[in-house]
Amino acid sequence: MQFLYLSGQGRRAVDSKIAQVTFAQLQNSSSDFAPREQQGSGNGIRVQLDGYTLNSLTFEERIDLNTTAARGFAQYPLSVSQIDQTTTSGNSTLWRGNFTVSPPLNVNARLFPGRQTTLQMKLNDAILDTQTVSGVTSPTFNRAQFESENYDPVDNRVNGFLSDHVAFDLRQMATADRPSMSGGAPAERILFSGDAIALTSGADTNGSFEVLPATADVTTRFRGIFRLPTQIAGRDVPGTYVVTEPDPRVPSDPNANTLTALQGIWRAHTDVLDYSRTPQFAMVAIPNHDDKFPTPDAEDGMQVVIYNLSGSNVVAMWQGRIRFTNTTTGLVECWSVNQIANATPNNPAIGTISNFELKNGRVVAGDFNFTVAPGTFPFPRTGGFRVLR
């Protein structure tokens, strides 16, 4: 679980307020919460409330694969242990104690085995500040301002999302069959999280990573930086990405520094999927954060990826959506991956899904039957699919 706090209304030097968030926790009630004990060093993070910063606080929760598909939480009791103020000679502590927002903030956060969930929240000096009454300084929390800046206006809560991606290297596919970056270059990789799709070209430069939200407006892209896996202290760590945004203080300056707005991890598909039984073809459904079953009317359902392999190389790929219309059947629709940026993709393959295998109340496998497909469809019309769980 990753909490991302985005701070800043304006930026000052002297008199900046700095909030220390030591312990991040999710709960449904006073007896149903996670984590049970504080994780990490105990120092937490320090958020400069009027500075444009991104601060990350994480915890890990063990989930029993045999009994639980996911753990869901509806409340976030934001807690602050200290507020400092920047002075000309350093920092001075204005307040120290235990301040917890009550009642807790509304959230929708689901934790899945092997996945990373993120709650992204704005926290600034219009939301959290201090007041001094009769010589006593204490924190103040503007709940209405927090809700205005962070709550989904329809759901009335902060919605979490899956922020880890599965990456597929497309460089062995023909250039014409690959999706394009916004600048026109063919994408080298495509990444799926269940909640978003991303493309990459190159690494370590701003613009090497582009996110296409999993909505009808797939033409909107958010640029960022793509970083390859590395080693830390002799251990392999996943690749990472950050999404950047313009500095709001200088919105018209194209040469101004960008600000980090989101971060997450990615893993190659060969690290998370087992091809021992189907080494040349795969159809994989990737759940979104809500992971509803069956799929409610008017909702898109899961991402689905269909691809051919030559060894470990992807040589053909289509992508689309898969919907479980009831507990026994559903629909699948997909398009060639080079149409990823088209609001109205052409020549879809359309079919049905059935024979579901369930575990912990969720589909883990099933069969597909494409009844409509163009002549360019490079995959079997019938077969089996797996769900990334």
Side-chain angles (χ1 to χ4, degrees), residues 57-78:
L57 192 60
T58 64
F59 72 79
E60 296 182 356
E61 179 74 357
R62 184 173 295 276
I63 297 177
D64 188 340
L65 288 168
N66 295 316
T67 61
T68 308
R71 290 197 66 191
F73 296 93
Q75 300 174 348
Y76 170 45
L78 171 63

Side-chain angles (χ1 to χ4, degrees), residues 17-285:
K17 302 282 181 65
I18 300 171
Q20 184 162 316
V21 182
T22 304
F23 189 27
Q25 192 176 68
L26 296 171
Q27 66 180 39
N28 291 311
S29 67
S30 59
S31 60
D32 180 10
F33 59 89
R36 287 283 171 176
E37 297 179 352
Q38 183 168 322
Q39 299 179 7
S41 65
N43 295 326
I45 56 173
R46 291 170 59 81
V47 181
Q48 182 184 336
L49 296 171
D50 67 348
Y52 290 113
T53 65
L54 180 143
N55 303 269
S56 174
L57 192 60
T58 64
F59 72 79
E60 296 182 356
E61 179 74 357
R62 184 173 295 276
I63 297 177
D64 188 340
L65 288 168
N66 295 316
T67 61
T68 308
R71 290 197 66 191
F73 296 93
Q75 300 174 348
Y76 170 45
L78 171 63
S79 298
V80 178
S81 59
Q82 185 171 313
I83 297 180
D84 295 338
Q85 186 173 40
T86 302
T87 67
T88 55
S89 58
N91 292 329
S92 64
T93 298
L94 296 177
W95 168 87
R96 182 182 291 119
N98 182 15
F99 174 79
T100 301
V101 175
S102 182
L105 301 165
N106 299 331
V107 299
N108 175 26
R110 293 174 59 79
L111 306 183
F112 297 84
R115 303 296 308 273
Q116 180 189 69
T117 299
T118 290
L119 276 176
Q120 184 184 49
M121 293 166 286
K122 295 178 182 177
L123 188 64
N124 54 51
D125 53 354
I127 296 171
L128 180 65
D129 208 335
T130 60
Q131 65 177 1
T132 302
V133 178
S134 300
V136 178
T137 298
S138 59
T140 62
F141 184 78
N142 189 329
R143 188 183 190 96
Q145 185 69 27
F146 179 92
E147 294 180 1
S148 174
E149 295 195 36
N150 291 285
Y151 275 19
D152 181 284
V154 175
D155 298 331
N156 195 38
R157 65 192 181 192
V158 182
N159 286 321
F161 55 90
L162 290 164
S163 53
D164 62 318
H165 287 70
V166 179
F168 297 84
D169 192 322
L170 305 180
R171 286 176 287 185
Q172 298 303 310
M173 289 176 52
T175 298
D177 295 335
R178 291 151 58 182
S180 297
M181 305 291 287
S182 58
E188 296 178 354
R189 292 177 179 84
I190 186 168
L191 298 86
F192 298 89
S193 74
D195 286 315
I197 301 172
L199 304 174
T200 77
S201 179
D204 300 322
T205 59
N206 196 29
S208 56
F209 183 82
E210 294 182 350
V211 179
L212 295 76
T215 66
D217 182 20
V218 293
T219 57
T220 299
R221 298 194 182 190
F222 303 98
R223 291 162 57 86
I225 302 171
F226 179 75
R227 296 191 175 100
L228 297 171
T230 186
Q231 283 195 336
I232 296 179
R235 293 186 177 184
D236 293 330
V237 297
T240 61
Y241 68 87
V242 299
V243 176
T244 58
E245 63 184 3
D247 190 330
R249 295 163 297 172
V250 284
S252 60
D253 184 358
N255 298 314
N257 291 332
T258 56
L259 307 174
T260 300
L262 176 64
Q263 64 186 22
I265 61 174
W266 64 272
R267 297 181 177 91
H269 67 101
T270 49
D271 293 335
V272 296
L273 301 174
D274 179 8
Y275 296 109
S276 59
R277 288 181 292 178
T278 54
Q280 294 181 316
F281 163 79
M283 178 172 169
V284 179

Side-chain angles (χ1 to χ4, degrees), residues 283-285 302-306 318-322 332-334:
M283 178 172 169
V284 179
M302 297 182 184
Q303 294 174 347
V304 66
V305 191
I306 310 173
W318 286 39
Q319 64 82 35
R321 311 298 299 185
I322 192 168
V332 60
E333 188 173 18
C334 59

